[in-house]
Amino acid sequence: MSERQFIDSLDFANNKRELRGQVALVEMPRLQDVLASPDASLQQDSNEGVGYILRGLQDENGKPMLSIKLDGVLELRCQRCLGGLVYPLKLVSQLFLAHRDDWDESYIEDGEAETILADQRLDVFALLEEEILLGLPFAPRHPAGACQVVAGGYLAEEGGRMQENPFAILSELKK
Ligand SMILES: [Zn+2]
């Protein structure tokens, strides 16, 4: 089991620190709800969980930021047939850090990146978990026709519906 990491987020950003490693899936309790097999084979095969690189940086205006890179494989549950669905997780995101006092419009208007409150004891794994959850598809499904057969036939909807799923498009844009 990996040891939980805590950082002083502003110090981390302003000194351009970097942290990299693996976070075991068991360290991310809220993620368990969306995984098909939280403690099963996939995790043991890859023997780790999700690889991460957390970097501190400043944008061109000197605003402190965190950059997060995640790389791993999750097994989600298909929302149509409830079978396991292998989901390659590749995620890059950037977050602004703001003091509670400076929390103002300028941060919100930046639009591109999210903002989180600066924290002297930021729980790194909780942050990674949050980013993973935000990046996952809302209703993951196998491609049309690829669902497992269940008793009584396919649960699948007709294939055309898939393309119209607005969440699928959103998650594409996010990349
Ligand atoms: Zn399915």
Side-chain angles (χ1 to χ4, degrees):
M1 196 173 282
S2 19
E3 202 168 320
R4 289 197 90 81
Q5 306 263 12
F6 295 89
I7 58 168
D8 178 337
S9 55
L10 274 183
D11 173 76
F12 192 90
N14 292 330
N15 291 296
K16 303 190 168 51
R17 295 186 201 278
E18 183 178 307
L19 200 60
R20 54 173 77 206
Q22 298 279 340
V23 53
L25 298 181
V26 292
E27 298 282 1
M28 299 186 281
R30 288 192 298 143
L31 193 58
Q32 306 301 315
D33 293 344
V34 299
L35 297 180
S37 52
D39 48 17
S41 55
L42 261 184
Q43 203 173 348
Q44 280 154 14
D45 289 349
S46 56
N47 198 20
E48 60 242 354
V50 176
Y52 68 87
I53 303 175
L54 179 66
R55 280 203 187 96
L57 68 155
Q58 293 173 335
D59 78 348
E60 61 271 26
N61 301 314
K63 282 187 189 170
M65 299 184 77
L66 295 178
S67 143
I68 299 169
K69 236 184 209 182
L70 293 162
D71 194 347
V73 177
L74 301 179
E75 191 177 19
L76 305 179
R77 194 179 296 280
C78 170
Q79 293 305 298
R80 186 158 36 195
C81 71
L82 301 181
L85 173 64
V86 173
Y87 179 80
L89 175 76
K90 291 213 187 294
L91 194 151
V92 179
S93 65
Q94 296 204 318
L95 304 169
F96 283 110
L97 295 170
H99 278 298
R100 197 173 289 277
D101 306 341
D102 317 331
W103 188 271
D104 63 23
E105 309 277 295
S106 72
Y107 279 94
I108 294 156
E109 280 169 14
D110 269 312
E112 281 301 300
E114 301 165 63
T115 303
I116 60 170
L117 281 176
D119 187 342
Q120 289 186 313
R121 194 172 149 77
L122 177 70
D123 183 333
V124 172
F125 290 173
L127 175 68
L128 299 178
E129 180 177 30
E130 180 70 21
E131 287 303 303
I132 293 173
L133 286 168
L134 286 173
L136 288 180
F138 179 71
R141 287 170 186 183
H142 292 115
C147 281
Q148 297 166 14
V149 185
V150 296
Y154 288 100
L155 278 177
E157 305 160 24
E158 66 276 32
R161 294 279 295 278
M162 285 287 293
Q163 265 84 47
E164 292 164 25
N165 180 353
F167 298 107
I169 295 163
L170 272 180
S171 67
E172 280 305 309
L173 285 176
K174 213 175 146 116
K175 290 170 203 151

